[in-house]
Amino acid sequence: MTLTIILVSMAAALLAGWLARGRSRPLVLLAFSALAVYAFQPALPVRHLDFWLPTVTLALVAASWALTAAPEQRSWRANWPAAAILAGIVLLLGLTRFLPFDAFLTASRPPQTFQIVLAILLAAALTGAALWLSRRSAKWLAAAIGLILALFLVLKVPELSYWTSFFFHKLNQQYSGAASAADLRWLGFSYIAFRLIHTIRDRQSGRLPAVTLAEYAAYVIFFPSLTAGPIDRIERFLGDLRRPFALSAEDLTEAGKRLLVGLFKKFVIADALALVALNGTNALQVRTAGWTWILLYAYAFQIFFDFSGYTDIAIGLGRLLGFKLPENFNAPYRKPNLTQFWNNWHMTLTQWFRAYFFNPVTRLLRSTKKPLPIPVVIFVTQIITMALIGLWHGVTANFVLWGLWHGLGLFVHNRWSERTKARFAVLPPRWQTVLNAGGALLTFHFVALGWVFFAMPDLSTSWHVFLKLFGFA
Amino acid sequence: MGKGTSASAVHPLRVLLKGGVLFVVLAFTFPVWGGALTRLSTYNWIVGGRLRLPYGGGNPDAVYSSSMTDLGVMLRSHVAARGKPAGEYRVIILGDSTVWGFSVPLENSLPFLLDAAGLTACDGRAVRVYNLGYPNASVTKDLLILDEAMQYQPDLVLWFVTLAAMTPDRRFDHPIITGNLGELLAIQSALALDLGIPEPADAGGKDTFFDRRVALNEFVRFELYGLMWNATGIDRELPDLAAVQRPALPGYVIYAGFLPPSLADDALSFDVIGAGVRLAGGTPVLLVNEPIYVQPDGPNTDIRYNASYPRWVYDEYRAQFAARAEREGWTYLDLWDALPPAEFTPDADLHPTPEGEALLAEILAPYILQIACGGGR
């Protein structure tokens, strides 16, 4: 996100916070967030795709709500204002194609009006079908998760992205030779997918609270956390949403602090570090092992300040709207071991995976007729969980290796900790401090070396960097 | 938050007011402390200095360098800005892209080769050669660089000149010149000359934080590029010469508005060269007419040496240069045909190949030693 978009978001958050104080709070937040879905979407080379992807986002949200909504929340009377707002925003944005100047809320000039009307009708039909199906069988919830994962794969597997873009080029009668895997940048979809799966899984397990369409949609596409998280939980979000809100001095001060800190982290520290951080080009140019380490350190801090800066901005924007979004980072590089690192790095993501993958799989493996030994269960679940987190960043060998690197590291730490914690617990405090400092240094370097897979475009360049780091290249 | 809580002690309006006042004070006092900020340099201190002046051309993030006009920042980033050791005989080379090494790797550029030659002056001092060339050709731009470089105590100035650097259209048309007209006026004033310098457009003084924000951003980026320069040794993306075809010689003989058969005595910027020699004071200046590519055969070779220079104007220029050097007592070396045509790259009529650069270094080394041993000025 650019500085301009962030500054506009701050103004929008202040306005939305002022407007969204009474019973209309979910509707106002929904309207602002739905507009943001379009405004944040970058321009795409496939004609009108930068309009259709946000539209599909809204359709998915509505259909997902219809599938998961509790029966008492499904009434037309309770939900028509939200449906009207969603449809109205799509239609109004579509009508901006007739303005005499360039589009300002969409990345490019919207498609023809009849196509938009058709899309709204299709989305309404899809939502209606989801409402009808949800009454008949819970299997449709699993199908919805399957659909979200399939969309995710299309976006993250380069070959699938390419062929999808190729298909869209053909469909639009555009030159298909220009199709590229990078054409399908669906802003915010990763985080939207996490929230959708969270609500569907909670519906399956009966934990999902009853929510209206306005509340559900405001949660899924909440604009402060649309592009970079954090991944909030709906029951926590509803607590803030349903609470009467008036911006207080404390809110304003806290929001201002987080926004300033976030802007400084992102646009001063991270952007400066980006100039000297390890990347696929300079990895092949750097001359000595010492400089390679410096570039790697720069990358490690750049990615931290960049991501945690965005989180601070999201939390600050949320605070202007009366939401205390969950923290995502808590000094992760100062933690004495890898387990604690992952408890403090992108915390909402790891909590999501823990809740919806690690814990269920662990329970499954432990509840078989012939339970596997604990170390084997830990090994399998940690390796697969971290590999999945890697795959979430992109379906490439490098991201898988990055995940495996951490999965293996977590397993080794788990076993080491099991064997040594009793002995270390009786050491004097001074020794504990020394051990913690040494552990933090070791953990940081383990994480930094893992970033090599993350930062490099392919395995051979990653291998080259490892050789260089240790003086073999 | 209700009354009486600790958070109610924070007054956002007061915070905003205090922040605003602090910002306004810092912004308006910027002219006082802003200059000092850009005089801080990490080069030659935290990271090593550059071997040639920063020149962008392409994506700055890929070549770890950027074009700028602040000569102080440029020179402070150069390895020449290090303190001069007692046993060093310091040679600086001024000139255009030929000296800078536009078409060859840095280690094949003329100043690098001369420095690597390990020459020793008669008094035992090690001859160290510094590349202060900068694209594109303009003797006025060279004069400004010389003025800034004199503080770094050169013992000899090698000044590479070609006809293109001395025409009226190049006299004031270069980003370094337009960005430093005030400095040029100061040189004119100090030497009591009239170089016909235009008045700076922003003579009113644009030195506030807002006026300088882009320059400050460039400065910070440039300092960070210093790390990457040290890490990679890269400051330039080499042109892909394999894809370059030498252009055919045009059939006209007009050059920079000059028409044959002769060139007026004051048509070229010899006065700027004279100013440079005076500026150097007691430091010897060796003026070198750069080698040019001479096309051996083909259409229009009877009227032109190459795509850049018609024969008549280049011959006139050489004759005037020799005569002016004789009259003014300048040390002048005409190397116009010192390199065979095969030793020029096809992207320009002035850029030697790596072999051509090596040959040129061999030719120049004795002259440098001769001057270093007190054999001429």
Side-chain angles (χ1 to χ4, degrees):
Chain A
M1 277 209 291
T2 62
L3 186 59
T4 311
I5 286 185
I6 291 169
L7 293 175
V8 171
S9 298
M10 286 161 63
L14 277 170
L15 179 64
W18 181 71
L19 289 172
R21 287 182 295 184
R23 287 177 60 194
S24 62
R25 186 164 155 77
L27 292 174
V28 172
L29 291 176
L30 166 65
F32 273 83
S33 296
L35 286 171
V37 171
Y38 288 88
F40 292 171
Q41 172 65 47
L44 298 175
V46 180
R47 195 180 304 128
H48 301 317
L49 191 61
D50 43 36
F51 185 88
W52 292 128
L53 289 180
T55 307
V56 173
T57 297
L58 299 187
L60 274 176
V61 169
S64 181
W65 168 79
L67 269 181
T68 57
E72 68 271 21
Q73 293 287 5
R74 290 178 182 168
S75 74
W76 173 247
R77 198 175 160 189
N79 295 298
W80 76 262
I85 284 174
L86 286 174
I89 280 176
V90 178
L91 194 60
L92 273 176
L93 287 175
L95 291 174
T96 60
R97 66 180 272 109
F98 297 111
L99 292 175
F101 44 83
D102 281 344
F104 60 97
L105 272 170
T106 51
S108 59
R109 196 165 280 268
Q112 292 178 359
T113 311
F114 84 91
Q115 292 177 328
I116 294 171
V117 171
L118 196 64
I120 293 171
L121 291 175
L122 270 174
L126 181 72
T127 307
L131 272 171
W132 184 74
L133 290 169
S134 68
R135 291 194 198 107
R136 305 187 71 82
S137 167
K139 282 180 187 169
W140 291 103
L141 292 170
I145 292 179
L147 175 71
I148 293 165
L149 291 177
L151 282 174
F152 194 81
L153 283 175
V154 168
L155 297 178
K156 296 288 180 177
V157 179
E159 289 77 14
L160 287 176
S161 300
Y162 169 76
W163 284 112
T164 309
S165 172
F166 184 87
F167 169 75
F168 284 141
H169 273 84
K170 283 278 184 196
L171 195 70
N172 267 328
Q173 297 180 321
Q174 286 179 276
Y175 172 56
S176 55
S180 151
D183 292 346
L184 302 184
R185 279 167 293 143
W186 189 346
L187 198 92
F189 181 77
S190 297
Y191 289 98
I192 288 168
F194 276 124
R195 294 186 193 109
L196 292 178
I197 293 174
H198 152 56
T199 56
I200 296 170
R201 285 290 297 141
D202 278 14
R203 171 74 175 130
Q204 284 175 322
S205 60
R207 290 197 303 257
L208 187 69
V211 284
T212 61
L213 173 60
E215 290 173 328
Y216 185 87
Y219 161 71
V220 177
I221 58 170
F222 187 53
F223 77 86
S225 55
L226 184 65
T227 55
I231 308 163
D232 205 352
R233 295 188 61 80
I234 193 165
E235 60 271 25
R236 202 220 59 75
F237 183 87
L238 287 175
D240 284 344
L241 183 65
R242 290 171 178 172
R243 182 168 55 89
F245 170 67
L247 190 66
S248 67
E250 187 198 5
D251 287 327
L252 201 57
T253 308
E254 183 59 23
K257 200 167 76 182
R258 294 303 289 259
L259 285 166
L260 279 177
V261 168
L263 290 170
F264 186 77
K265 278 182 177 176
K266 162 66 191 137
F267 292 101
V268 178
I269 303 180
D271 283 4
L273 284 171
L275 297 176
V276 295
L278 188 71
N279 60 44
T281 305
N282 64 32
L284 302 172
Q285 298 169 332
V286 65
R287 293 185 290 192
T288 64
W291 278 113
T292 314
W293 280 105
I294 289 171
L295 266 54
L296 180 60
Y297 292 149
Y299 182 83
F301 285 105
Q302 185 241 332
I303 195 168
F304 167 71
F305 282 111
D306 190 282
F307 200 178
S308 72
Y310 272 132
T311 300
D312 287 326
I313 292 166
I315 290 173
L317 289 174
R319 196 64 189 258
L320 289 177
L321 294 162
F323 288 82
K324 290 185 179 174
L325 293 177
E327 295 292 339
N328 239 355
F329 296 89
N330 179 26
Y333 286 149
R334 285 176 16 206
K335 303 304 172 205
N337 58 61
L338 197 60
T339 306
Q340 284 204 39
F341 169 82
W342 275 108
N343 286 336
N344 293 279
W345 175 279
H346 205 169
M347 289 143 73
T348 57
L349 177 77
T350 45
Q351 283 157 6
W352 191 97
F353 270 95
R354 194 174 292 135
Y356 296 109
F357 186 80
F358 183 88
N359 290 343
V361 173
T362 304
R363 275 197 298 274
L364 183 76
L365 293 175
R366 295 282 295 145
S367 60
T368 52
K369 282 182 183 169
K370 198 177 169 187
L372 293 166
I374 288 176
V376 174
V377 173
I378 291 170
F379 179 80
V380 171
T381 48
Q382 278 182 333
I383 287 282
I384 299 177
T385 304
M386 294 313 294
L388 283 175
I389 290 179
L391 284 167
W392 173 67
H393 290 93
V395 184
T396 68
N398 267 48
F399 285 127
V400 174
L401 269 180
W402 175 77
L404 295 178
W405 174 269
H406 279 280
L408 205 61
L410 285 167
F411 173 72
V412 170
H413 171 254
N414 179 279
R415 294 295 86 202
W416 166 262
S417 176
E418 279 296 312
R419 282 166 184 253
T420 57
K421 66 181 174 192
R423 262 181 287 166
F424 289 162
V426 295
L427 287 174
R430 189 184 298 171
W431 278 106
Q432 299 269 10
T433 308
V434 171
L435 270 178
N436 282 343
L441 202 64
L442 190 68
T443 305
F444 171 74
H445 280 85
F446 183 86
V447 172
L449 286 172
W451 290 133
V452 172
F453 296 116
F454 207 87
M456 292 301 104
D458 51 55
L459 288 178
S460 67
T461 319
S462 310
W463 179 242
H464 176 79
V465 172
F466 275 111
L467 291 176
K468 223 169 213 176
L469 284 167
F470 294 101
F472 297 113
Chain B
M1 182 63 67
K3 279 183 182 175
T5 58
S6 59
S8 64
V10 179
H11 299 283
L13 277 179
R14 281 192 203 168
V15 173
L16 275 176
L17 190 69
K18 284 178 192 170
V21 168
L22 187 65
F23 181 76
V24 167
V25 168
L26 285 174
F28 280 91
T29 57
F30 181 78
V32 179
W33 55 271
L37 186 71
T38 54
R39 275 195 290 279
L40 298 172
S41 176
T42 56
Y43 291 96
N44 296 307
W45 172 47
I46 293 173
V47 296
R50 291 175 177 266
L51 295 181
R52 53 187 174 186
L53 293 171
Y55 175 71
N59 176 12
D61 292 347
V63 299
Y64 316 125
S65 188
S66 53
S67 296
M68 53 181 69
T69 57
D70 189 327
L71 280 169
V73 173
M74 290 168 73
L75 265 292
R76 278 190 289 278
S77 76
H78 199 284
V79 72
R82 287 185 310 201
K84 183 179 167 186
E88 178 177 312
Y89 183 84
R90 180 165 287 197
V91 180
I92 59 171
I93 311 191
L94 304 173
D96 53 25
S97 51
T98 301
V99 172
W100 193 82
F102 189 87
S103 303
V104 292
L106 178 60
E107 58 273 20
N108 292 113
S109 62
L110 175 70
F112 190 97
L113 293 170
L114 281 170
D115 190 57
L119 305 177
T120 308
C122 297
D123 58 5
R125 283 187 290 169
V127 176
R128 298 303 311 273
V129 181
Y130 297 89
N131 183 345
L132 293 185
Y134 190 85
N136 298 308
S138 165
V139 285
T140 318
K141 172 261 303 174
D142 297 338
L143 178 71
L144 279 160
I145 294 174
L146 176 66
D147 180 51
E148 189 71 27
M150 285 309 293
Q151 63 183 301
Y152 301 118
Q153 303 169 292
D155 296 297
L156 167 63
V157 177
L158 246 67
W159 193 348
F160 271 56
V161 179
T162 189
L163 167 61
M166 300 178 64
T167 52
D169 57 326
R170 299 288 183 93
R171 195 169 167 90
F172 300 114
D173 185 18
H174 191 289
I176 296 275
I177 303 169
T178 49
N180 293 279
L181 283 177
E183 285 72 10
L184 202 55
L185 283 166
I187 295 171
Q188 179 179 255
S189 168
L191 298 176
L193 292 170
D194 182 10
L195 297 172
I197 302 163
E199 277 298 316
D202 56 348
K206 295 237 175 190
D207 213 17
T208 68
F209 176 77
F210 297 102
D211 298 323
R212 299 271 297 154
R213 65 192 188 281
V214 175
L216 273 175
N217 180 33
E218 281 175 0
F219 168 73
V220 172
R221 288 178 82 89
F222 179 62
E223 291 299 313
L224 285 164
Y225 288 144
L227 280 169
M228 293 309 297
W229 146 252
N230 276 262
T232 64
I234 289 171
D235 67 347
R236 164 86 181 131
E237 203 171 2
L238 275 174
D240 181 12
L241 295 178
V244 178
Q245 287 273 331
R246 190 175 286 285
L249 304 197
Y252 55 83
V253 292
I254 188 170
Y255 182 78
F258 300 140
L259 288 165
S262 63
L263 208 55
D265 276 351
D266 60 352
L268 300 175
S269 298
F270 288 113
D271 56 337
V272 176
I273 291 186
V277 174
R278 283 180 60 191
L279 194 67
T283 306
V285 178
L286 172 58
L287 297 165
V288 179
N289 182 31
E290 287 179 29
I292 60 165
Y293 167 75
V294 178
Q295 184 149 318
D297 47 43
N300 299 324
T301 47
D302 54 330
I303 56 168
R304 303 187 73 95
Y305 285 117
N306 50 44
S308 305
Y309 295 146
R311 283 176 178 261
W312 75 270
V313 73
Y314 193 75
D315 291 343
E316 278 278 307
Y317 150 74
R318 284 182 53 230
Q320 284 194 9
F321 207 158
R324 187 67 75 99
E326 177 75 27
R327 198 165 70 227
E328 304 284 350
W330 300 337
T331 309
Y332 171 60
L333 188 59
D334 189 355
L335 297 181
W336 80 284
D337 60 350
L339 298 180
E343 297 311 341
F344 286 88
T345 58
D347 61 329
D349 294 319
L350 294 163
H351 296 170
T353 61
E355 293 75 19
E357 299 274 7
L359 193 57
L360 200 52
E362 274 180 39
I363 295 168
L364 277 169
Y367 290 100
I368 292 172
L369 287 178
Q370 188 186 349
I371 297 172
C373 294
R377 244 213 84 170

